[in-house]
């Protein structure tokens, strides 16, 4: 009996122990189950941090590639300049280095595929820019990076690496283009630019439109031929051909101009090429946006309609004029701020304000629906004409050097990226027929721009654009940064992808062949080099009458403007020019005293005007050379005189022209003295009869 009780007690104890064990296990399972999401979340955070760190390292390595490209380009440029090797410019060299790096990234580096990548099919009607994905109750946000062709799905990792070195096109428009365009306007030699203003406007506006339509029509014929022979795999409309004509009509002869500047080629030829390229970039941008805005009524958006064409033309005029006004207004505001504040006492703040106001012009124009290229170009011209005079000497040097440096780096970065993109861009469409047609159309479009317009312009010019100048301008119509930026901005369709691929080849050819052959072309056309940029080839020092006629020709077009600018705008916006109290009517005395700065009275006798040679025939002018005073009226007649005891040998017209060209001199106009500095590169002129007053 006692044994039976003991056995039963043992059984009950065993059951109790098993029950307790099961309860404990259940509790442990519950606890573990409750803590597993937290552990999973912690693990996911660790993985995410590692991926972010890897992505950061990859981005740093990609930027390092471009920094090393620029560094290598600079060192090679130094070697070329040291050896006086002019066949290859730095832009062409940057493109070669970009090509080499692109080949290595495309074919030399392979990233192992991550087996955790899973591709699932999902049928949607459009490609959303942002995608929310539900993974086990958690939502993840994904952004659209671009399209991947079906045969490249297995190489997602390699595509990801190539996409890392492919920048957003907006980077070019908002960061790299503004300093390039602003520097073009800020460093513009306004004297030579305005002297050839009529011809430059004709080439830039009318010539660009002619080139656009010639190229568009020829390419449309090429596309029709491709369609007939079955070489066209997608839609390509006439508006696409016109758009292609607009973007490749933007010339960028940076290589030629650099060689021109180094060799000191004729100033008028330099001004024609530089002025055309500066304005024609702006025209091409507005023209391309107007073509994109072409939208006829009805379902077919590619039919010809007169009202739609007129609307696009109105958009062209409105966008260009609005951008022009916005750029000038920003420059005027900056000039007023720098004039009526004491910022010149704090050079760092002054330079920073100038930089930010100039850059914001581009972004403001784009945000308002205008074109930032046009706005920042004319902002640069306005800043150079007005604001520059209000800056302290330190800020003047800083702003010049700052934008020159930014222009150099941005241009070489873009050309390096061009070479890289030839191999890293994943949606290239190379069609031999389209490429050959594009080269032929670009050549004929440039010829239709230069030769007919030069013939018409020569009918009204006293100093003709010679045939060798025309051939040089035809040869120097390079395509560059602007053409590339316009073509890469939209590569979504088959037509745009084909345009972009062909545009790259056009840029490569013109930069390497045309840019590299500039020196040989100058020699072949027998164009003079070693000409001082402050001289005019057409204003020979031995032809005084011809020089005076050119002054009168320039004054005929700009006399009213420079009168108004010299007497009113310069005194209002800068510290230079005659005081408004001397130019405004007496009834405006309080306003004149309010708007005239104290520095204007101090600088009344030292007006510095880079464009003063354009207004030499406006009114009576008295030139003082030591003890000799020579006066001239608007007709160009000279009278000379001097104090008692002065030499009877008065300066003749030719001597005066020689001294105007070579010497430091002072011009006294309506009580205001103009001091024109002499170029340091030119030896001073000495005359045995009299010496210039220093």
């Amino acid at each position: 009996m006692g044994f039976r009780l003991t056995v039963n007690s043992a059984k009950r104890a065993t059951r109790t122990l098993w029950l307790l064990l099961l309860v404990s296990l259940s509790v442990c399972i519950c606890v573990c189950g409750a803590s597993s999401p937290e552990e999973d979340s912690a693990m996911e955070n660790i993985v995410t941090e590692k991926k972010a760190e890897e992505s950061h390292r990859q981005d740093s390595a990609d930027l390092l590639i471009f920094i090393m490209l620029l560094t290598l380009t600079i060192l090679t440029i130094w070697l070329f300049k040291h050896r006086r090797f002019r066949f290859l410019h730095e832009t062409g060299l940057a493109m070669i280095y970009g090509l080499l790096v692109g080949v290595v990234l495309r074919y030399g580096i392979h990233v192992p595929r991550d087996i955790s990548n899973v591709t699932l099919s999902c049928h949607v009607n459009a490609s959303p820019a942002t995608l929310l994905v539900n993974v086990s109750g958690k939502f993840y946000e994904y952004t659209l990076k671009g399209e991947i062709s079906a045969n490249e799905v297995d190489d997602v990792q390699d595509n990801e690496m190539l996409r890392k070195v492919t920048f957003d096109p907006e980077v070019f428009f908002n960061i790299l283009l503004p300093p390039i365009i602003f520097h073009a306007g800020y460093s513009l030699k306004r004297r030579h630019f305005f002297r050839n203003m009529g011809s430059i406007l004709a080439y830039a506006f009318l010539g660009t439109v002619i080139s656009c339509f010639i190229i568009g029509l020829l390419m449309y014929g090429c596309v029709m031929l491709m369609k007939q022979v079955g070489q066209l795999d997608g839609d390509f409309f006439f508006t696409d051909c016109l758009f292609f004509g607009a973007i490749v009509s933007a010339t960028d002869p940076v290589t030629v101009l650099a060689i021109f500047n180094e060799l000191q080629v004729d100033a008028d030829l330099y001004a024609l090429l530089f002025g055309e390229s500066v304005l024609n970039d702006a025209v091409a941008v507005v023209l391309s946006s107007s073509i994109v805005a072409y939208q006829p009524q009805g379902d077919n958006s590619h039919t010809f309609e007169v009202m739609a064409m007129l609307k696009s033309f109105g958009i062209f005029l409105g966008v260009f004029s609005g951008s022009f006004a916005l750029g000038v207004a920003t420059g005027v505001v900056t000039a007023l701020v720098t004039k009526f504040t004491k910022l010149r006492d704090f050079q760092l703040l002054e330079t920073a304000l100038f930089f930010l106001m100039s850059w914001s012009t581009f972004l403001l124009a784009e945000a308002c629906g205008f074109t930032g290229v046009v706005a920042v170009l004319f902002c640069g011209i306005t800043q150079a004409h007005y604001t520059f005079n209000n800056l302290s000497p330190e800020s003047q040097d800083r702003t010049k050097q700052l934008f020159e440096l930014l222009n150099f780096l941005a241009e070489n970065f873009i050309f390096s990226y061009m070479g890289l993109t030839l191999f890293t861009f994943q949606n290239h469409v190379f069609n031999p027929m389209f490429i050959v047609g594009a080269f032929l159309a670009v050549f004929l479009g440039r010829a239709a721009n230069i030769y007919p317009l030069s013939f018409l312009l020569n009918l009204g010019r006293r100093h003709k654009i010679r045939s060798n100048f025309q051939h040089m301008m035809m040869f120097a119509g390079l395509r560059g940064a602007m053409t590339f930026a316009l073509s890469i901005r939209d590569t979504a369709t088959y037509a745009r992808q084909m345009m972009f691929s062909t545009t790259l080849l056009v840029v490569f050819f013109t930069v390497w062949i045309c840019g590299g052959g500039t020196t040989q072309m100058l020699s072949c056309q027998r164009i003079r080099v070693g000409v001082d940029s402050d001289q005019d080839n057409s204003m020979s020092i031995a032809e005084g009458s011809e020089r005076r006629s050119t002054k009168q020709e320039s004054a005929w077009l700009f006399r009213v403007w420079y009168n108004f600018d010299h007497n009113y705008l310069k005194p209002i916006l800068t510290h230079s020019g005659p005081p408004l109290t001397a130019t405004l009517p007496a009834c405006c005395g309080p306003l004149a005293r309010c708007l005239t700065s104290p520095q204007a009275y101090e600088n009344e006798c030292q007006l510095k005007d880079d464009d003063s040679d354009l207004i030499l025939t406006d009114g009576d002018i008295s030139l003082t050379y030591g003890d000799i005073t020579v006066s001239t009226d608007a007709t160009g007649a000279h009278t000379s005189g001097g104090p008692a005891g002065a030499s009877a040998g008065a300066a003749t017209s030719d001597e005066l022209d020689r001294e105007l060209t070579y010497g430091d001199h002072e011009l006294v106009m309506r009580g205001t003295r103009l001091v024109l500095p002499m170029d340091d590169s030119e030896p001073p002129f000495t005359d045995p009869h009299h010496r210039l007053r220093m």
Side-chain angles (χ1 to χ4, degrees):
M1 185 72 180
F3 176 75
R4 200 175 283 176
L5 289 173
T6 303
V7 172
N8 291 334
S9 299
K11 288 181 178 180
R12 283 196 296 270
T14 302
R15 290 173 183 171
T16 304
L17 289 174
W18 278 108
L19 183 61
L20 291 174
L21 181 60
L22 290 175
V23 172
S24 300
L25 288 174
S26 300
V27 172
C28 291
I29 291 174
C30 293
V31 172
C32 292
S35 61
S36 62
E38 297 179 358
E39 293 179 357
D40 291 343
S41 178
M43 291 299 296
E44 289 180 0
N45 291 337
I46 294 175
V47 172
T48 302
E49 290 177 359
K50 287 184 177 180
K51 288 183 178 180
E53 186 177 352
E54 291 176 0
S55 177
H56 172 71
R57 286 200 299 266
Q58 181 65 40
D59 293 339
S60 300
D62 295 336
L63 290 177
L64 180 62
I65 290 174
F66 289 101
I67 297 298
M68 296 303 296
L69 278 176
L70 291 177
T71 304
L72 186 60
T73 302
I74 290 173
L75 293 177
T76 314
I77 291 170
W78 168 82
L79 181 63
F80 282 8
K81 289 185 179 294
H82 182 67
R83 299 293 182 182
R84 299 184 181 276
F85 182 73
R86 297 191 180 97
F87 182 75
L88 188 63
H89 188 251
E90 59 240 33
T91 54
L93 186 66
M95 293 170 68
I96 292 177
Y97 286 146
L99 281 171
L100 296 177
V101 174
V103 170
V104 173
L105 292 177
R106 181 79 179 188
Y107 303 108
I109 298 178
H110 175 71
V111 179
R113 188 183 178 192
D114 189 353
I115 59 174
S116 64
N117 288 337
V118 179
T119 304
L120 299 177
S121 298
C122 180
H123 299 284
V124 293
N125 296 327
S127 55
T130 303
L131 189 65
L132 294 178
V133 180
N134 186 353
V135 180
S136 301
K138 291 186 176 182
F139 290 89
Y140 297 89
E141 181 182 3
Y142 291 84
T143 57
L144 179 66
K145 288 189 174 181
E147 181 183 0
I148 299 176
S149 58
N151 56 351
E152 294 181 348
V153 172
D154 294 334
D155 300 326
V156 174
Q157 288 297 104
D158 287 338
N159 295 336
E160 177 66 21
M161 182 195 66
L162 295 178
R163 277 196 298 269
K164 282 281 189 179
V165 294
T166 303
F167 288 95
D168 188 342
E170 295 303 314
V171 171
F172 291 97
F173 264 80
N174 295 331
I175 297 179
L176 296 178
L177 274 185
I180 295 176
I181 303 301
F182 182 85
H183 178 262
Y186 194 54
S187 61
L188 185 69
K189 294 182 178 180
R190 298 184 301 283
R191 178 167 49 189
H192 302 292
F193 179 84
F194 287 115
R195 181 176 297 133
N196 296 278
M197 188 67 171
S199 301
I200 290 172
L201 290 176
Y203 288 126
F205 283 86
L206 189 58
T208 303
V209 174
I210 292 174
S211 176
C212 170
F213 278 91
I214 292 293
I215 295 174
L217 289 171
L218 292 175
M219 293 312 300
Y220 187 66
C222 180
V223 167
M224 290 296 100
L225 180 61
M226 292 167 57
K227 186 179 292 185
Q228 291 295 327
V229 298
Q231 293 291 322
L232 198 64
D233 299 329
D235 294 330
F236 212 111
F237 302 101
F238 181 62
T239 51
D240 295 324
C241 297
L242 284 181
F243 180 81
F244 179 73
I247 63 176
V248 297
S249 295
T251 60
D252 185 18
V254 57
T255 305
V256 176
L257 292 175
I259 296 176
F260 278 14
N261 190 44
E262 184 178 352
L263 296 178
Q264 291 186 317
V265 178
D266 183 273
D268 282 336
L269 177 60
Y270 183 94
L272 287 172
L273 264 179
F274 181 75
E276 182 212 0
S277 67
V278 167
L279 289 180
N280 126 303
D281 282 353
V283 174
V285 172
V286 182
L287 188 60
S288 61
S289 62
S290 302
I291 294 172
V292 172
Y294 176 80
Q295 189 66 40
Q297 299 293 331
D299 296 334
N300 191 353
S301 60
H302 299 282
T303 58
F304 176 76
E305 188 176 287
V306 177
M307 291 303 299
M309 184 187 69
L310 294 177
K311 181 180 178 181
S312 295
F313 182 71
I315 291 174
F316 174 83
L317 294 179
V319 170
F320 194 93
S321 58
S323 304
F324 168 81
L326 186 61
V328 173
T330 308
V332 168
V333 169
T334 311
L336 291 173
V337 171
T338 53
K339 176 184 178 181
F340 291 104
T341 61
K342 297 294 184 180
L343 273 176
R344 63 184 293 119
D345 297 334
F346 306 93
Q347 290 81 19
L348 182 60
L349 299 180
E350 186 181 33
T351 306
L353 177 68
F354 183 91
F355 176 80
L356 294 176
M357 290 291 290
S358 303
W359 200 305
S360 64
T361 305
F362 184 92
L363 302 177
L364 180 61
E366 292 289 333
C368 294
F370 297 119
T371 300
V373 172
V374 179
V376 79
L377 169 64
F378 287 99
C379 176
I381 296 175
T382 307
Q383 301 277 45
H385 192 61
Y386 296 115
T387 311
F388 184 81
N389 297 321
N390 298 336
L391 300 178
S392 61
E394 294 82 359
S395 296
Q396 290 178 350
D397 294 336
R398 282 180 180 177
T399 53
K400 280 186 175 181
Q401 295 169 1
L402 173 62
F403 282 102
E404 184 179 6
L405 174 64
L406 291 177
N407 171 73
F408 174 80
L409 293 178
E411 273 195 341
N412 282 278
F413 183 91
I414 289 178
F415 280 95
S416 298
Y417 186 72
M418 285 185 199
L420 192 72
T421 307
L422 187 63
F423 292 97
T424 58
F425 185 71
Q426 301 174 55
N427 296 315
H428 277 303
V429 178
F430 292 107
N431 189 297
M433 289 186 63
F434 190 85
I435 293 171
V436 173
F439 275 93
L440 181 62
V442 167
F443 177 82
L444 294 178
R446 182 66 179 171
N449 177 357
I450 297 299
Y451 295 116
L453 287 181
S454 298
F455 173 77
L456 295 176
L457 290 171
N458 282 337
L459 297 178
R461 285 177 62 102
R462 284 189 174 92
H463 302 282
K464 312 300 182 185
I465 303 175
R466 301 194 299 270
S467 59
N468 57 347
F469 280 19
Q470 298 177 34
H471 298 329
M472 192 68 225
M473 293 177 66
M474 170 71 190
F475 182 80
L478 278 67
R479 273 64 181 174
M482 183 58 66
T483 300
F484 174 76
L486 288 173
S487 61
I488 200 176
R489 198 172 192 181
D490 183 7
T491 56
T493 63
Y494 170 81
R496 295 298 177 89
Q497 292 167 4
M498 186 184 295
M499 291 182 207
F500 174 66
S501 303
T502 306
T503 297
L504 277 181
L505 298 181
V506 171
V507 173
F508 290 161
F509 178 84
T510 56
V511 170
W512 288 337
I513 304 302
C514 298
T518 300
T519 306
Q520 290 76 11
M521 188 65 178
L522 287 171
S523 178
C524 177
Q525 295 299 321
R526 304 192 178 195
I527 297 175
R528 289 197 311 156
V529 297
V531 180
D532 184 6
S533 61
D534 288 335
Q535 297 183 43
D536 297 307
N537 185 43
S538 59
M539 297 181 183
S540 174
I541 59 175
E543 300 175 355
S545 61
E546 189 174 352
R547 178 180 175 87
R548 289 190 298 275
S549 66
T550 303
K551 294 178 194 173
Q552 293 172 358
E553 180 183 3
S554 299
W556 172 79
L557 184 60
F558 297 105
R559 178 178 301 174
V560 176
W561 159 251
Y562 276 103
N563 244 349
F564 181 74
D565 178 64
H566 169 71
N567 292 328
Y568 302 107
L569 292 184
K570 275 287 184 72
I572 292 175
L573 300 177
T574 69
H575 298 301
S576 60
L580 289 173
T581 53
T583 58
L584 287 177
C587 60
C588 301
L591 179 63
R593 287 189 293 272
C594 178
L595 294 178
T596 303
S597 63
Q599 291 87 343
Y601 296 101
E602 299 173 4
N603 300 332
E604 182 177 357
C605 294
Q606 298 206 357
L607 170 63
K608 296 181 180 180
D609 193 342
D610 293 337
D611 304 323
S612 57
D613 64 327
L614 296 179
I615 54 174
L616 289 176
T617 60
D618 183 19
D620 297 335
I621 301 175
S622 174
L623 293 85
T624 303
Y625 297 88
D627 295 327
I628 298 176
T629 300
V630 180
S631 300
T632 178
D633 56 17
T635 63
H638 293 276
T639 60
S640 60
S647 174
T652 64
S653 299
D654 293 344
E655 290 174 343
L656 292 178
D657 290 328
R658 180 185 296 270
E659 291 172 349
L660 280 171
T661 304
Y662 290 111
D664 291 344
H665 52 274
E666 296 177 353
L667 293 89
V668 181
M669 182 191 312
R670 296 197 183 105
T672 302
R673 189 180 307 172
L674 302 179
V675 180
L676 302 183
M678 182 187 71
D679 189 354
D680 294 337
S681 63
E682 189 66 42
F685 173 79
T686 57
D687 191 284
H689 298 291
H690 55 275
R691 190 176 299 272
L692 302 182
R693 184 169 57 192
M694 303 299 290

